[in-house]
Amino acid sequence: MNKEMSETLVRTGPGTRMGNLMRRYWIPVLMSNEIAEPDGPQVRVKILGEKLLAFRDSEGRPGLIDEFCSHRGVSLFFGRNEENGIRCSYHGLKFDRNGKCVDVPSAPQSCARMNIKSYPCIERGGLVWAYMGPPDKMPEPPELEWATLPPSHVFVSKRLQECNYLQAMEGGIDTAHVSYVHRYEVDNDPMHKDTKALDYIKADGNVIFEIEKQPFGLTLFGRRNGEPDSYYWRITQWLFPWFTLIPPFGQHSLAGHVWVPIDDHNCWAWSINFHPDKPLSDEERRDLEQGKGIHCEYEPGTFRPKANKDNDYLIDRQAQKDKRAYSGIFGFAIQDASLQESMGPIQDHEAERLLPTDKAIVMARRMLHEAALGLEQGIEPPALNVSAQHVRAAGVLLERSADPTEWAKEHLADSRSQPVYSI
Amino acid sequence: MNKEMSETLVRTGPGTRMGNLMRRYWIPVLMSNEIAEPDGPQVRVKILGEKLLAFRDSEGRPGLIDEFCSHRGVSLFFGRNEENGIRCSYHGLKFDRNGKCVDVPSAPQSCARMNIKSYPCIERGGLVWAYMGPPDKMPEPPELEWATLPPSHVFVSKRLQECNYLQAMEGGIDTAHVSYVHRYEVDNDPMHKDTKALDYIKADGNVIFEIEKQPFGLTLFGRRNGEPDSYYWRITQWLFPWFTLIPPFGQHSLAGHVWVPIDDHNCWAWSINFHPDKPLSDEERRDLEQGKGIHCEYEPGTFRPKANKDNDYLIDRQAQKDKRAYSGIFGFAIQDASLQESMGPIQDHEAERLLPTDKAIVMARRMLHEAALGLEQGIEPPALNVSAQHVRAAGVLLERSADPTEWAKEHLADSRSQPVYSI
Amino acid sequence: MNKEMSETLVRTGPGTRMGNLMRRYWIPVLMSNEIAEPDGPQVRVKILGEKLLAFRDSEGRPGLIDEFCSHRGVSLFFGRNEENGIRCSYHGLKFDRNGKCVDVPSAPQSCARMNIKSYPCIERGGLVWAYMGPPDKMPEPPELEWATLPPSHVFVSKRLQECNYLQAMEGGIDTAHVSYVHRYEVDNDPMHKDTKALDYIKADGNVIFEIEKQPFGLTLFGRRNGEPDSYYWRITQWLFPWFTLIPPFGQHSLAGHVWVPIDDHNCWAWSINFHPDKPLSDEERRDLEQGKGIHCEYEPGTFRPKANKDNDYLIDRQAQKDKRAYSGIFGFAIQDASLQESMGPIQDHEAERLLPTDKAIVMARRMLHEAALGLEQGIEPPALNVSAQHVRAAGVLLERSADPTEWAKEHLADSRSQPVYSI
């Protein structure tokens, strides 16, 4: 990837090409329960390089406004969340969730020129989503399956990953790496127990990939030998601009990620587990809350993993030797983070040497690049029609002669009319 | 404030316009008791971007010299303070408090070319003051009231504030903010107990300000309703280039601040309490030493407040909710620091939108700017005549028809001949 | 030293003049016991600004390769050291100790284009040495005396020094400073006990230096009064490009240092003690392991000294007052580090004012500068002939009329044929 393309893809601040593209989609900014109470504590949020403040107003509506007061530039984090607005602690200026200045105690007539930036918010799937693009271009609310389910059916966590979103997201697209860094993790994890699929995966390390371009992004088909007359197909999706979907193992839950830039050196790795048709069991929820599966444990009071670059991700060389952890590091999330952060805050794309298994990554990069350049030319971004988001991941045994893309068209394109396909 | 004016005001290193201006005044550099003993441990001091070393020589005289040896650039902090000079630990070169090299053991004839930078020092009000300007322009020693009193009458503390001096000092000039971030602090603080003035302040939040330009800087008059036939006036001063004076409440002590740049991203917030005519009581001194009033508690072994930006100033959202602390942060000093540091190391002045209550700040900025530009043109700085420093702050009830500026001219211009005016 | 010369000497990254020069010599990179076991944990190593990975392969051979995988740039620190190579944990690419890619599981035909950087390694004196220069220019292995002895005779430690290698190495050349910062250390240290030499050193602080240019670098002769008819000569060497040799006291061991750039702001200070003709005694080895003599104690799990710039090197002002530690800091290594690090990450050479006692430093700088510029012109670097490294340091009493340079020519040029000269 040349310098121009790399810079286009990794820079997401205001006014950048990729930043402009991303601002045309609804963006997960924080969990609804981070601003649980009306008039409760406001929270600092940095998204796409912008320092913002999230709060829930007296009527329970989420707001996302500039972190700083228009008057002297003081952080509204130290302000008061009261009566449908945040009041600055320095001189009492007050702003509502639309950034409108509703009070300047010493000079009421000045209100009109004191308004601050704000972004509209909605809540779906336990998250607050914001729209940070041109007001007249706001798309429909997201309809990813997990975002439309009742809270009982979904578990969502977020985790700070200290690198550019692109190299993090590419790990989500690149299922080829599962056979390496995650190899022994499946034996450690409750989300993988008692499934036939694991036997197939262990028996056949030589995955064959097919990739299909879609209006929403990409569908990836990973083929392993199943029974003598069948293949085990794992079918995953990447959706514009930052979603990935993961099929379950056996009766376990479906999963997915969102990779959202905080700034160009950090991103939020959102991780989701869900059942489309039933609540997560108490046991499942307990495991997820403990950081099992694709989730993790945290440094107290933060969303930074307990295992992080400052402690070499708690690497255990004996566990590596004993083949309990391929790289000596435990947990799917931390295994990925360790490798992706080790590339540096922004991977040197000019130095990489890609392999055939990077095909999906190359396609995703090209699609993002094309969309970013296209937007500059006035071409509307792809996948704004949310019906495209109704897809679902699956793991299925198909006859060796079957065409998985035909099967997927029929069974995964509109998940709402289908059972979960998983073995 | 445009870029040029902002840059002129915030840059204070050697050779800058504001740096040149400030170097024409005596500068508080450290507390006398930080170098308590003759030949005791030397102390690193950074002032206006210059790395210096303060020490007390064998005869008890304070010295302020370059931190680094002229020979190989080693820090004299690791040298020996002995026999009226600091000896470098690397090769034994010795420098007296005038920066004169008085010994080069291996080459005595080289002394003359090894001298280092030094600045003359005096001690007043429990502080060591240095003069860092052209030798032939040294002004008279400072005569601010608190600097001329016996030690028993004065309490001085310093506190690291992690932002540019200007936005810190502006908080000292800007008394409009008292009604917000400090609103509930008065109820917590022993320095505000049992005073009639507090009743007036609580009863009338709508302060009216008058500002008067003075040879020494500015006098600010803040008016609130007092008794039916009187106003309660709080009269404060800003003195060139960085002093502010604060009136007492009831029988409590007078107060003041000095805002001295360490470098362009940090400053010393000096805080002073004093009685002009009597010693501070044991109880007062105990409270001040515990960090009450305008003082604070520290990280052990430092002058950095215990409540600082790394711990969000120990914000307590419940206390904020309960109206025990307006912003959830306790202590006048920390309340100010939290807001002023949140502006960033240097406030973005081009983005601010000023209000009528910022009039005093605007005037002070203009006076500083004018003086800095004037000095470049050969115009002598204002307020070098120290008799101008004899002013005093006051809180008084005046008849509604009275002109407070006339009253101040008579009662506050030469404090030495007057009682303390306070209610 | 002007800017050009300073920049030439302090910059050692790939492609710099001094970097090119240093890459023509064998470079100590880590201790053999840091990669003790075949297929044991690999270790990150930064040398001359290059991020590398050291490991011991299945056959026990040390390898030094690029830290990062050629595919996506992931750190091989998180890879697996197995079957004569490091396997990347991301996609299973494997590299042997020559940087040759020996496996690309998903695309075996791609191996040839995936090779990474590697440097040949040898082991001598308990160290792994690498050659990072042009393959056809590799010199003979180092023959410094301590590098050729059996492990029983040698003790080696390394210590992080947080400054440029040049100012650290200059402390090793500059024996004039011993009378100052180290003055009282000799009384604290077991390596200096019960020797006649110390009496001479304490009695005569006025050392006279002679310096002799050599094919290998410099020999320094330091003269003090001995007995009425003799001088006590301490004879030390600096060898291209970064070795220094130190004579013993009495029956104690010989010593030496190597000063190797990590990057331009950090270096490894290697410290060596050895007997040419007998093992170190248990008592000696115990003292050395405890950080006595020229060694030090560490922050747990690191090679950073426990006494470092973050804690002002545990300075003890009372010990300074009591003349138990000249600068208040204990330990030869830490005394040097405190002063040399206080110069800043890179000393400002333009601001220094050199003295006659800096003659050896000036000569070493000129020789390095000349060699670096010469190499650029195609002139081969000096001292590549390792027979020049057979020199040895000494401390001897010679008749006052004796010429120490003649004596050294006869007794120190080829140490292997000589007894240790020490009093």
Side-chain angles (χ1 to χ4, degrees):
Chain A
M1 183 150 67
N2 67 27
K3 191 77 188 160
E4 176 279 313
M5 187 167 168
S6 173
E7 284 294 300
T8 296
L9 293 185
V10 303
R11 304 293 171 194
T12 64
T16 60
R17 286 167 165 175
M18 187 52 53
N20 287 342
L21 180 68
M22 288 177 165
R23 282 169 176 79
R24 295 296 300 277
Y25 300 85
W26 283 97
I27 307 173
V29 290
L30 81 171
M31 289 183 290
S32 288
N33 65 17
E34 290 180 73
I35 46 170
E37 299 285 318
D39 289 344
Q42 61 271 43
V43 172
R44 282 177 291 221
V45 170
K46 197 177 182 190
I47 294 288
L48 305 183
E50 298 186 40
K51 288 182 165 191
L52 303 168
L53 195 75
F55 67 104
R56 191 173 298 278
D57 76 5
S58 311
E59 297 178 33
R61 297 166 302 190
L64 186 67
I65 59 176
D66 196 326
E67 186 193 330
F68 302 99
C69 182
S70 49
H71 174 212
R72 295 293 310 282
V74 156
S75 174
L76 298 169
F77 175 77
F78 299 111
R80 294 179 65 83
N81 182 11
E82 54 185 28
E83 290 167 49
N84 283 328
I86 299 280
R87 191 180 289 281
C88 181
S89 283
Y90 212 6
H91 300 89
L93 278 73
K94 186 170 166 183
F95 306 93
D96 72 11
R97 72 187 175 99
N98 299 314
K100 194 181 163 196
C101 181
V102 293
D103 193 12
V104 179
S106 69
Q109 75 289 357
S110 298
C111 269
R113 63 179 187 92
M114 303 305 279
N115 297 338
I116 57 175
K117 184 168 70 177
S118 76
Y119 296 117
C121 294
I122 53 173
E123 292 184 271
R124 294 217 151 190
L127 298 185
V128 178
W129 307 64
Y131 175 69
M132 296 169 65
D136 60 326
K137 300 287 191 182
M138 187 189 296
E140 297 166 86
E143 294 196 5
L144 291 131
E145 186 164 45
W146 57 263
T148 61
L149 297 169
S152 57
H153 294 39
V154 191
F155 180 85
V156 182
S157 75
K158 74 175 179 184
R159 157 178 75 78
L160 174 65
Q161 186 159 329
E162 296 170 79
C163 69
N164 190 268
Y165 85 96
L166 185 67
Q167 66 212 57
M169 181 170 78
E170 287 173 351
I173 297 172
D174 162 36
T175 49
H177 78 273
V178 175
S179 308
Y180 295 93
V181 71
H182 303 317
R183 185 175 300 173
Y184 309 123
E185 192 62 25
V186 292
D187 292 328
N188 304 328
D189 193 76
M191 254 56 81
H192 293 80
K193 289 221 182 310
D194 311 317
T195 72
K196 188 80 185 146
L198 275 192
D199 298 339
Y200 300 141
I201 285 178
K202 287 183 181 175
D204 182 3
N206 186 27
V207 198
I208 310 292
F209 285 98
E210 294 181 29
I211 302 154
E212 196 178 27
K213 214 167 153 178
Q214 305 278 5
F216 59 75
L218 296 172
T219 305
L220 289 86
F221 302 83
R223 190 188 85 190
R224 288 172 179 88
N225 293 325
E227 300 302 320
D229 60 346
S230 63
Y231 289 128
Y232 171 54
W233 289 94
R234 286 184 65 76
I235 307 174
T236 64
Q237 293 88 4
W238 166 69
L239 289 83
F240 253 89
W242 43 36
F243 303 100
T244 51
L245 299 178
I246 307 169
F249 287 89
Q251 296 308 304
H252 296 297
S253 52
L254 286 148
H257 291 291
V258 201
W259 314 90
V260 181
I262 294 171
D263 52 33
D264 296 343
H265 288 186
N266 296 279
C267 65
W268 288 124
W270 290 95
S271 299
I272 303 103
N273 279 98
F274 62 103
H275 288 304
D277 48 1
K278 63 178 177 188
L280 292 162
S281 70
D282 290 348
E283 195 186 344
E284 283 176 312
R285 197 167 282 279
R286 187 206 61 205
D287 285 341
L288 298 167
E289 279 169 358
Q290 288 179 356
K292 298 293 200 311
I294 55 177
H295 309 275
C296 71
E297 292 180 74
Y298 300 101
E299 288 193 341
T302 78
F303 294 103
R304 190 183 194 219
K306 203 166 91 174
N308 55 55
K309 65 178 175 179
D310 293 339
N311 54 29
D312 277 339
Y313 309 91
L314 303 173
I315 194 168
D316 176 342
R317 292 291 190 188
Q318 191 58 48
Q320 184 178 31
K321 208 78 187 168
D322 300 346
K323 304 198 174 178
R324 289 179 287 122
Y326 191 81
S327 66
I329 290 164
F330 287 93
F332 291 98
I334 306 306
Q335 286 158 2
D336 284 335
S338 64
L339 301 182
Q340 293 154 10
E341 292 181 0
S342 84
M343 296 167 163
I346 301 179
Q347 190 201 343
D348 179 357
H349 293 107
E350 293 174 280
E352 72 185 358
R353 300 184 215 159
L354 298 180
L355 292 167
T357 48
D358 295 311
K359 193 178 164 197
I361 292 174
V362 171
M363 288 174 74
R365 287 178 180 180
R366 284 193 188 140
M367 289 169 82
L368 284 167
H369 188 240
E370 190 183 313
L373 265 59
L375 180 58
E376 213 173 25
Q377 307 296 323
I379 300 165
E380 283 296 285
L384 289 176
N385 183 335
V386 293
S387 65
Q389 297 175 345
H390 296 182
V391 291
R392 186 190 281 160
V396 281
L397 267 189
L398 298 179
E399 278 181 32
R400 295 216 167 188
S401 59
D403 177 347
T405 64
E406 284 305 314
W407 183 88
K409 210 165 291 170
E410 202 171 322
H411 298 85
L412 302 180
D414 186 0
S415 58
R416 295 168 196 203
S417 59
Q418 299 281 338
V420 172
Y421 294 97
S422 174
I423 60 167
Chain B
M1 183 149 68
N2 66 28
K3 189 78 188 159
E4 176 280 311
M5 187 167 168
S6 172
E7 283 294 300
T8 296
L9 293 184
V10 303
R11 303 293 170 194
T12 64
T16 59
R17 286 167 165 177
M18 187 53 53
N20 288 342
L21 180 68
M22 288 179 165
R23 282 169 177 78
R24 295 295 301 277
Y25 301 85
W26 284 97
I27 306 173
V29 291
L30 80 170
M31 289 182 290
S32 288
N33 66 15
E34 290 181 73
I35 47 169
E37 299 283 317
D39 289 345
Q42 62 271 43
V43 172
R44 283 177 289 220
V45 171
K46 197 177 182 189
I47 294 288
L48 306 183
E50 299 186 39
K51 289 181 164 190
L52 303 168
L53 196 75
F55 67 105
R56 191 173 297 279
D57 75 5
S58 311
E59 296 178 33
R61 299 167 299 193
L64 187 67
I65 61 177
D66 196 327
E67 186 193 330
F68 302 100
C69 182
S70 48
H71 173 212
R72 295 293 309 283
V74 156
S75 174
L76 298 169
F77 175 78
F78 299 111
R80 294 180 65 83
N81 182 11
E82 53 184 29
E83 292 168 46
N84 283 327
I86 299 280
R87 192 180 287 283
C88 180
S89 284
Y90 211 7
H91 301 90
L93 278 74
K94 187 171 167 182
F95 306 92
D96 72 11
R97 72 189 175 98
N98 299 312
K100 194 179 162 198
C101 181
V102 293
D103 194 12
V104 179
S106 70
Q109 73 290 358
S110 297
C111 270
R113 64 180 186 91
M114 303 306 278
N115 297 339
I116 56 175
K117 183 168 69 176
S118 76
Y119 297 116
C121 294
I122 54 172
E123 292 183 90
R124 294 216 151 191
L127 297 185
V128 179
W129 307 64
Y131 175 69
M132 297 169 65
D136 59 328
K137 299 288 190 183
M138 188 188 296
E140 296 167 85
E143 294 196 4
L144 292 131
E145 186 163 46
W146 57 262
T148 62
L149 297 169
S152 57
H153 294 38
V154 191
F155 180 85
V156 181
S157 75
K158 74 175 179 185
R159 156 177 76 78
L160 174 66
Q161 186 160 328
E162 296 171 79
C163 69
N164 190 270
Y165 86 96
L166 186 67
Q167 66 212 57
M169 181 170 79
E170 287 173 352
I173 296 172
D174 161 35
T175 48
H177 77 275
V178 174
S179 309
Y180 295 93
V181 71
H182 303 316
R183 185 175 299 174
Y184 309 123
E185 191 62 22
V186 292
D187 293 327
N188 304 328
D189 192 75
M191 255 56 82
H192 292 80
K193 288 222 183 309
D194 311 318
T195 72
K196 188 80 185 143
L198 276 192
D199 298 340
Y200 300 141
I201 286 179
K202 287 183 181 173
D204 181 4
N206 186 26
V207 199
I208 311 292
F209 284 99
E210 295 180 26
I211 303 154
E212 195 178 28
K213 214 169 154 178
Q214 305 279 4
F216 59 75
L218 296 172
T219 306
L220 290 84
F221 302 83
R223 192 188 83 189
R224 288 172 179 89
N225 294 325
E227 300 302 320
D229 59 347
S230 63
Y231 289 128
Y232 171 55
W233 290 93
R234 286 184 65 77
I235 307 173
T236 63
Q237 292 87 5
W238 167 68
L239 289 83
F240 252 90
W242 43 37
F243 303 100
T244 51
L245 299 179
I246 307 168
F249 288 88
Q251 296 308 305
H252 297 296
S253 53
L254 285 149
H257 290 291
V258 201
W259 314 90
V260 181
I262 295 172
D263 52 33
D264 295 344
H265 288 186
N266 295 279
C267 66
W268 288 124
W270 290 94
S271 300
I272 304 103
N273 279 98
F274 63 103
H275 288 304
D277 48 2
K278 61 177 179 189
L280 292 161
S281 71
D282 290 349
E283 197 187 341
E284 283 177 312
R285 196 167 282 279
R286 188 205 59 202
D287 285 341
L288 297 167
E289 279 169 357
Q290 288 179 354
K292 298 294 199 309
I294 55 177
H295 309 275
C296 71
E297 293 181 73
Y298 299 102
E299 288 193 340
T302 77
F303 294 103
R304 189 183 195 221
K306 204 167 88 174
N308 56 54
K309 65 177 174 179
D310 294 339
N311 54 29
D312 277 337
Y313 310 92
L314 303 172
I315 195 168
D316 177 343
R317 293 289 190 190
Q318 191 57 49
Q320 184 177 29
K321 208 78 186 165
D322 300 347
K323 304 200 173 176
R324 289 179 285 123
Y326 191 81
S327 65
I329 290 164
F330 288 93
F332 291 98
I334 306 306
Q335 286 157 2
D336 284 334
S338 64
L339 300 181
Q340 292 154 12
E341 292 180 1
S342 83
M343 295 167 164
I346 300 179
Q347 189 202 343
D348 179 357
H349 293 108
E350 293 175 279
E352 73 185 357
R353 299 184 216 160
L354 298 180
L355 292 168
T357 48
D358 296 311
K359 193 178 164 197
I361 291 174
V362 172
M363 288 174 74
R365 287 178 180 179
R366 284 194 188 139
M367 289 169 82
L368 285 168
H369 188 240
E370 189 183 316
L373 265 57
L375 182 58
E376 213 173 25
Q377 307 296 324
I379 300 165
E380 283 297 283
L384 289 176
N385 183 335
V386 293
S387 65
Q389 297 176 343
H390 295 183
V391 292
R392 187 190 281 162
V396 282
L397 268 190
L398 298 180
E399 277 180 32
R400 295 216 167 187
S401 60
D403 177 347
T405 65
E406 284 307 312
W407 183 88
K409 211 167 289 171
E410 201 173 321
H411 298 85
L412 302 179
D414 187 0
S415 59
R416 294 168 198 202
S417 59
Q418 299 280 339
V420 173
Y421 294 96
S422 175
I423 59 167
Chain C
M1 183 149 68
N2 66 28
K3 191 77 189 159
E4 175 280 311
M5 187 168 168
S6 173
E7 284 294 300
T8 297
L9 293 185
V10 304
R11 303 293 170 194
T12 64
T16 60
R17 286 167 165 175
M18 186 53 54
N20 288 342
L21 180 67
M22 288 178 165
R23 281 170 177 78
R24 294 296 300 277
Y25 301 85
W26 284 97
I27 306 173
V29 291
L30 80 170
M31 289 183 289
S32 288
N33 66 16
E34 290 181 74
I35 47 170
E37 299 285 316
D39 289 345
Q42 61 272 42
V43 172
R44 283 176 291 220
V45 171
K46 197 176 181 189
I47 294 288
L48 305 183
E50 299 186 40
K51 288 183 164 189
L52 303 168
L53 195 76
F55 67 105
R56 192 172 297 279
D57 76 5
S58 310
E59 296 178 31
R61 299 167 300 192
L64 186 67
I65 60 177
D66 196 327
E67 186 194 330
F68 301 99
C69 182
S70 48
H71 173 213
R72 295 293 309 283
V74 156
S75 174
L76 298 168
F77 175 78
F78 299 110
R80 294 180 65 84
N81 183 10
E82 54 184 28
E83 291 167 46
N84 284 327
I86 299 280
R87 191 180 288 281
C88 181
S89 284
Y90 212 7
H91 301 89
L93 278 73
K94 186 170 168 184
F95 306 93
D96 72 11
R97 72 187 175 98
N98 300 313
K100 193 180 162 196
C101 182
V102 295
D103 194 13
V104 179
S106 69
Q109 75 289 359
S110 297
C111 270
R113 65 180 185 89
M114 304 306 279
N115 296 338
I116 57 174
K117 184 168 69 176
S118 75
Y119 296 118
C121 293
I122 54 173
E123 291 183 271
R124 292 217 153 192
L127 298 186
V128 178
W129 307 64
Y131 175 70
M132 297 168 65
D136 59 327
K137 299 288 191 182
M138 186 188 297
E140 295 167 86
E143 295 197 5
L144 291 130
E145 187 165 44
W146 56 262
T148 62
L149 298 169
S152 57
H153 294 39
V154 192
F155 180 85
V156 182
S157 75
K158 74 175 179 184
R159 157 178 75 77
L160 175 66
Q161 186 159 328
E162 295 170 80
C163 69
N164 191 269
Y165 85 96
L166 186 67
Q167 67 213 57
M169 181 170 80
E170 287 173 353
I173 297 172
D174 162 34
T175 49
H177 78 274
V178 174
S179 308
Y180 295 94
V181 71
H182 303 317
R183 186 176 298 173
Y184 309 123
E185 191 61 24
V186 291
D187 293 327
N188 304 329
D189 193 75
M191 255 55 84
H192 292 80
K193 288 221 183 309
D194 311 318
T195 72
K196 188 79 186 145
L198 275 193
D199 298 339
Y200 301 140
I201 286 178
K202 287 183 182 175
D204 181 3
N206 186 25
V207 199
I208 311 291
F209 285 99
E210 295 180 27
I211 303 154
E212 196 177 30
K213 214 168 153 177
Q214 305 279 6
F216 60 75
L218 296 172
T219 306
L220 289 86
F221 302 83
R223 192 189 84 190
R224 288 172 178 88
N225 293 325
E227 300 302 319
D229 58 347
S230 63
Y231 289 128
Y232 172 54
W233 289 94
R234 286 183 65 77
I235 307 173
T236 63
Q237 292 88 5
W238 166 69
L239 288 85
F240 252 90
W242 44 38
F243 303 100
T244 51
L245 299 178
I246 306 168
F249 287 89
Q251 297 307 305
H252 297 296
S253 53
L254 285 148
H257 290 292
V258 201
W259 313 91
V260 181
I262 294 171
D263 51 34
D264 296 343
H265 288 186
N266 296 278
C267 65
W268 288 123
W270 289 94
S271 300
I272 304 104
N273 279 99
F274 62 102
H275 288 303
D277 49 2
K278 62 178 177 188
L280 292 162
S281 71
D282 290 349
E283 196 188 343
E284 284 177 311
R285 196 167 281 279
R286 188 206 58 204
D287 285 341
L288 297 167
E289 279 169 357
Q290 288 179 355
K292 298 293 200 310
I294 55 177
H295 309 276
C296 71
E297 292 180 74
Y298 300 101
E299 288 193 340
T302 78
F303 294 102
R304 190 184 195 219
K306 204 167 87 175
N308 55 54
K309 64 178 175 179
D310 293 339
N311 53 29
D312 277 337
Y313 310 92
L314 303 172
I315 194 167
D316 177 342
R317 293 289 190 189
Q318 191 57 49
Q320 185 178 29
K321 209 78 187 166
D322 300 346
K323 304 199 173 179
R324 287 179 286 123
Y326 191 82
S327 65
I329 291 164
F330 288 94
F332 291 98
I334 307 306
Q335 286 158 3
D336 283 335
S338 64
L339 300 182
Q340 292 153 11
E341 291 180 1
S342 83
M343 296 167 165
I346 300 178
Q347 190 201 342
D348 179 358
H349 293 107
E350 293 174 280
E352 72 185 358
R353 300 183 216 159
L354 297 180
L355 291 167
T357 47
D358 296 312
K359 192 176 164 198
I361 291 173
V362 171
M363 288 174 73
R365 287 178 180 181
R366 285 193 188 141
M367 290 169 81
L368 285 168
H369 188 239
E370 189 183 314
L373 266 57
L375 181 58
E376 212 174 25
Q377 307 296 324
I379 300 165
E380 283 296 284
L384 290 176
N385 183 335
V386 293
S387 66
Q389 297 177 341
H390 296 184
V391 292
R392 187 191 282 162
V396 282
L397 268 188
L398 298 179
E399 280 180 28
R400 295 216 166 188
S401 60
D403 178 345
T405 65
E406 284 306 312
W407 183 88
K409 210 166 290 171
E410 202 172 321
H411 298 84
L412 302 180
D414 186 359
S415 59
R416 295 169 197 201
S417 61
Q418 298 280 340
V420 172
Y421 295 96
S422 174
I423 61 166

